[in-house]
Amino acid sequence: MFDDHLKIMTMLKEAGEVVGRKKLQKMVFIAKKLNFPFQEKYQFHFYGPYSEELTLRIEELCNLGFLQEEKEKVSGYSQYRYSLNEEGDRLASSFGKEIAGLGECVRSMNEQPSRFLELVSTIMFFDKLSKEQVIEKVHIVKAKLKYSDEEIQDAFQYIQALSDMKQ
């Protein structure tokens, strides 16, 4: 059980800090779809793929005193920042396992806006469909976000770039 917590801690150690719950959810989902060893189950939710298991693991890591969660007000809504604290860093350094290729992918994802990662993770969620069907699905399930054809193509290219990084 704690092995899955250590994987999340390893990811956060690589990222340094992740700003936003949604962003963290998308980063773990994308890493899982790239065949990194994350076990969380995901379902499609309002903001794309979502894992209740991940939410609970993050909460447990905060409660155990390994993870720093900072809540801040931004433009009328709450935003959360996540990073390992000193104790979490020590634990991840001692017991965490290196996950080959994860660091570069995580740092790249962390540089992307949440909106873009939402698109990337949505595309990856529907990976069993043809590219044309995925694009059609994105326009339906993410109609309010009005992703342009260029943004969608950028997302497909980014998925390929992440896959190449993992190699």
Side-chain angles (χ1 to χ4, degrees):
M1 173 196 135
F2 202 66
D3 192 46
D4 292 327
H5 291 76
L6 280 170
K7 290 174 189 170
I8 301 302
M9 293 170 71
T10 299
M11 177 182 241
L12 283 164
K13 185 172 177 63
E14 292 288 354
E17 178 182 69
V18 175
V19 179
R21 287 177 170 172
K22 180 169 76 170
K23 186 173 207 171
L24 183 56
Q25 283 276 343
K26 303 318 168 219
M27 289 172 66
V28 173
F29 176 79
I30 292 166
K32 180 179 178 175
K33 292 300 276 187
L34 291 169
N35 294 316
F36 286 108
F38 292 95
Q39 306 303 317
E40 290 75 15
K41 291 178 185 74
Y42 278 81
Q43 59 192 18
F44 201 78
H45 199 258
F46 185 72
Y47 296 111
Y50 170 78
S51 171
E52 190 171 330
E53 283 178 272
L54 178 59
T55 297
L56 292 173
R57 282 197 181 108
I58 296 296
E59 192 174 305
E60 288 167 348
L61 288 169
C62 289
N63 290 339
L64 290 168
F66 299 126
L67 192 62
Q68 184 72 34
E69 178 187 64
E70 294 178 33
K71 182 179 179 179
E72 56 191 27
K73 287 282 187 192
V74 179
S75 302
Y77 71 95
S78 294
Q79 177 173 278
Y80 295 83
R81 293 179 174 273
Y82 295 96
S83 60
L84 293 180
N85 59 25
E86 220 175 283
E87 190 65 28
D89 190 56
R90 204 170 15 256
L91 183 69
S93 296
S94 299
F95 296 102
K97 294 182 179 87
E98 171 104 14
I99 302 173
L102 180 67
E104 188 178 3
C105 288
V106 165
R107 287 185 294 277
S108 175
M109 286 187 280
N110 204 20
E111 293 172 359
Q112 305 302 317
S114 292
R115 182 179 190 277
F116 183 67
L117 292 180
E118 185 174 341
L119 173 60
V120 168
S121 62
T122 297
I123 287 171
M124 293 177 91
F125 188 85
F126 296 113
D127 63 352
K128 302 287 186 245
L129 302 175
S130 71
K131 185 174 182 177
E132 293 75 25
Q133 290 172 317
V134 169
I135 292 168
E136 185 179 323
K137 196 70 131 167
V138 165
H139 285 303
I140 292 168
V141 299
K142 297 292 171 187
K144 288 182 180 179
L145 292 176
K146 296 181 168 81
Y147 287 114
S148 69
D149 292 338
E150 184 180 349
E151 286 175 302
I152 293 171
Q153 290 312 312
D154 288 348
F156 277 106
Q157 289 172 357
Y158 186 67
I159 292 166
Q160 185 59 54
L162 285 173
S163 296
D164 294 345
M165 266 182 231
K166 187 182 185 281
Q167 302 299 330

